[in-house]
Amino acid sequence: MADLVRSDAQPSPIATTIDLLGDRLTVAILRDAFVDRIHRFGEWIDRTGAPPAVLSARLVALTESGLMERRPQLGGYDRHDYVLTGLGLATWEFLVSVWTWQREWSVDGLLQPEMVHVDCGRRGPPEMVCGHCRSKVRTQDARLEVNPDLLVTATGGSRRRSTRSSPALSRADLQFTEVMEAIGDRWSAMVTGLSLSGVRRFGEFQSVLRISPTTLTERLTRLCEAKILTRIEGGREYALTPRGRALFPIFAFLLAWTQTAHPDVPPELLGPRLRHHDCGAWLEPTLSCRGCDTVLDRTSIAFEY
Ligand SMILES: [Zn+2]
Ligand SMILES: [Zn+2]
């Protein structure tokens, strides 16, 4: 049985997000732009070690997707700076979630920046709360609701960008590989999302995703190798490991940013959505400071290495 592939279909907004942000070099570019205000091609080359053609392609993608803006350099002939737009800056909660996960669960994670709440001075990971009811949201507190009719465009025609064949990158950026096993392609992201909602059985993944057994087996195996899932019940079920469960904010903010990036698309057409059990509302994930319990915004935080 072949995967459902309809190359003529427009990818759903969430699929577009996964294609764009489920890429370790792109996340490294955004981190350098965000934390160190890097805006020149040569500086990214020095930091990431990416081949120029590859870096160039990622910057074009970021520009075309509206996350960055090309500005002529002052006195720089035909050279350009790449500056984050409002939409690019709006990835901050996703980025903070990725760095927080890396710092906690990855061997070299301390190479990633740590968040500081400027107002109270607390340094350390924030907490994810519900934007409606302000209560803390853990993995088991929300459920992914999937509209099967949207799944063809959520996953069909998927570009499989193998993390194994990517160009050599610096040590700090190689660790993004572990996160990218979970969100680096559309099928893996959907399997991870359903796992976060409590789906465990092979047949259940298969019936919700309408995925071929071969593709599903391959993704489940990779997620087990990455220690995001583990086989239980004599191998008949797949459960999230603690490091897998900790991916939840990353996933929630990927969905939330997708809504920000597509303000004209009705939310029900964006792709899968998370509902918060406690208050019944669609989850609007929000970051809160663990020190002073204040909801964080981008201008009230800083980053330190
Ligand atoms: Zn709530
Ligand atoms: Zn604080």
Side-chain angles (χ1 to χ4, degrees), residues 31 35 96 99-100 103 109-115 123 303-305:
R31 178 197 58 207
V35 177
V96 167
W99 302 330
T100 299
R103 288 183 65 86
L110 298 181
L111 296 171
Q112 301 301 334
E114 186 163 45
M115 199 193 80
R123 182 180 171 137
F303 298 98
E304 291 175 5
Y305 281 101

Side-chain angles (χ1 to χ4, degrees), residues 23 25 29 41 50-60 167 169:
D23 174 74
L25 178 56
I29 293 168
F41 193 84
V54 176
L55 177 65
S56 182
R58 297 299 194 275
L59 288 172
V60 167
L169 297 177

Side-chain angles (χ1 to χ4, degrees), residues 3 5 18-19 154-162 164 180-193 195 202 205 209 211-231 238:
D3 287 344
V5 173
I18 292 164
D19 290 349
T155 51
S158 161
R159 284 186 294 138
R160 176 87 185 103
R161 191 158 39 199
S162 169
R164 286 162 194 180
M180 294 313 159
E181 285 294 341
I183 60 164
D185 82 7
R186 299 177 188 174
W187 282 124
S188 296
M190 292 310 301
V191 170
T192 303
S195 300
F202 191 92
F205 285 112
L209 295 177
I211 184 175
S212 82
T214 314
T215 306
L216 180 56
T217 301
E218 198 258 341
R219 296 304 195 274
L220 288 168
T221 303
R222 287 182 68 119
L223 290 167
C224 286
E225 283 170 5
K227 296 188 168 56
I228 286 161
L229 295 179
T230 184
R231 296 181 76 150
Y238 296 83

Side-chain angles (χ1 to χ4, degrees), residues 117 119-122 289-294 296:
H117 185 210
D119 299 354
C120 78
R122 187 181 187 279
C289 174
R290 287 174 198 254
C292 65
D293 282 335
T294 308
L296 299 169

